Amino acid sequence: MTAGAIGRPAGDDRGGRTAFQGAPGAFSHEACVELRPWDVHVPFDTFAEAIAAVKSGDCDCALIPIENSTIGAVEPAATLVAESGLIVVGDVWRTIRMTLMAIEGATIEQVRTVASHPIALRQCAKTLAAMDVETVEVFDTAGAAREVAEGGDRSRAAIAPAAAAEAYGLTVLRNDLQDSDDNRTRFVLLAGEPG
């Protein structure tokens, strides 16, 4: 399936609820906004919680990343999707650009620790090794940006979508931090039934 809105029946003007893992501004949230703009986008801390929301009926569908062109399977998401019993009703590959951000006034030379989701850190592993920084795994990319903004520490940065810098009042220190220029992630749309 190509990029664009997916999963909405023709002539249906009602919005539903799409679950995603992460905080508002995360890559999964951006994919929800692009692919299901009519829905309410509901954040969850974990992939398992987002899938459970569909199984319980609290959400109509979930948009889950399962594969990345740089690192392969997005675990544990891929396994959870395979074991969920839900139906894949759509999928899309999206280009993922990693942005390094910190509080206003910070410089890249001051950065000693970089926080992000473990999958995002893996997509930037070579670049981060060359920077000689400590990495800190957190539940989400946008959540990392929010924590950096709230912490006020110039030595701490986050890797997140560029929009998260604006959302949380951070300064972009470097764009395109990912190791591969062709860094793409496949998202699948899960539902309890087709539609």
Side-chain angles (χ1 to χ4, degrees), residues 101-103 106 110-113 147-157:
M101 56 195 69
I103 63 168
Q110 292 174 308
V111 173
R112 297 292 172 258
T113 60
E147 288 178 13
V148 166
E150 292 171 353
D153 182 349
R154 289 184 180 190
S155 71
R156 188 171 165 106

Side-chain angles (χ1 to χ4, degrees), residues 1 7 9 15 23 51 64 70 85 87 94 101 115 151 153 167 174 181 190 194:
M1 187 172 276
I51 291 169
I64 305 290
T70 301
I87 299 166
R94 292 192 79 237
M101 56 195 69
D153 182 349
R174 181 172 167 187
D181 287 338
L190 302 174

Side-chain angles (χ1 to χ4, degrees), residues 127-138:
T127 304
L128 291 170
M131 291 175 60
D132 193 27
V133 293
E134 178 186 351
T135 58
V136 178
E137 295 182 357
V138 296

Side-chain angles (χ1 to χ4, degrees), residues 10-132:
D12 186 353
D13 293 331
R14 297 170 297 146
R17 291 170 56 85
T18 298
F20 69 94
Q21 183 275 328
F27 289 108
S28 291
H29 184 224
E30 288 185 341
C32 284
V33 170
E34 177 185 343
L35 301 173
R36 295 186 61 86
W38 54 83
D39 277 359
V40 173
H41 308 116
V42 185
F44 290 91
D45 287 347
T46 67
F47 299 121
E49 290 171 341
I51 291 169
V54 177
K55 293 173 85 169
S56 71
D58 288 341
C59 289
D60 302 298
C61 57
L63 194 64
I64 305 290
I66 63 164
E67 184 178 357
N68 177 267
S69 60
T70 301
I71 65 166
V74 175
E75 292 295 351
T79 299
L80 290 168
V81 167
E83 297 173 349
S84 71
L86 297 175
I87 299 166
V88 175
V89 296
D91 73 315
V92 67
W93 282 91
R94 292 192 79 237
T95 299
I96 303 295
R97 296 284 178 238
M98 302 293 185
T99 303
L100 184 68
M101 56 195 69
I103 63 168
E104 186 175 346
T107 65
I108 201 163
E109 293 79 18
Q110 292 174 308
V111 173
R112 297 292 172 258
T113 60
V114 176
S116 196
H117 190 279
I119 298 299
L121 292 172
R122 286 180 54 200
Q123 292 171 43
C124 304
K126 292 177 186 174
T127 304
L128 291 170
M131 291 175 60
D132 193 27

